[in-house]
Amino acid sequence: MSTTEQQATGTFVADPVHSHVGFEVPYAVATFSGEVTDFTATLADGHLEGSAKIESITLRDESLSAHVLSPEFFDAERHPVLTFSGDVVRDGDRATVEGEITMKGITRPATLVGTIVGPTVDHFGATRVGLKLETVVDRTAFDMKWNMPLPNGEPALANEVTLKADLTLVAQEA
């Protein structure tokens, strides 16, 4: 097997400097996006666990943060953490993760798809795995129903939200 086809065994933890977690949702004629700055991710023998602190959502327009953290969306006060858990299936450099995501106290099945690279030893001698994953969820399935009609009657905000994770995971010593 080449390096990109080997299974990552052991425990790998997200390197926060080289990892990114975010979301995108169509809004009017553009895309509304944000990122989560306080998150964890652990890959242990093919099982991926992750969590994100809702209060760490960062938006391009800070004036919208209070609304996104409110009960109309994430309800950060009552539900401060989003979680994900699932098993990684590798096919060459393709990765599929079948699991569950919990937002706002509601758990739903989710399939994340993307790419996997490594394990590879970096220039400092650490073993790393790269996972770039995304999934689309219906925000209304997580009780996020706020919307506003545009003048043409169409909703301003789409229900389908793309969640993205670009993770660099570093092997932990046993």
Side-chain angles (χ1 to χ4, degrees), residues 90-109:
R90 183 177 190 157
D91 182 11
D93 66 349
R94 303 294 306 158
T96 302
V97 186
E98 295 285 344
E100 292 183 330
I101 189 166
T102 301
M103 286 189 282
K104 208 172 177 180
I106 301 167
T107 302
R108 300 278 187 250

Side-chain angles (χ1 to χ4, degrees), residues 38-60:
D38 190 352
F39 62 90
T40 64
T42 303
L43 177 64
D45 296 325
H47 186 78
L48 182 64
E49 294 275 341
S51 67
K53 290 186 179 176
I54 298 300
E55 69 183 13
S56 77
I57 291 175
T58 303
L59 307 173
R60 291 183 185 149

Side-chain angles (χ1 to χ4, degrees), residues 14-15 18-21 39-42 48 129-133 165-169:
D15 171 355
H18 297 100
S19 298
H20 177 265
V21 173
F39 62 90
T40 64
T42 303
L48 182 64
V129 171
L131 268 175
K132 190 170 188 173
L133 302 166
D166 191 350
L167 305 172
T168 296
L169 300 131

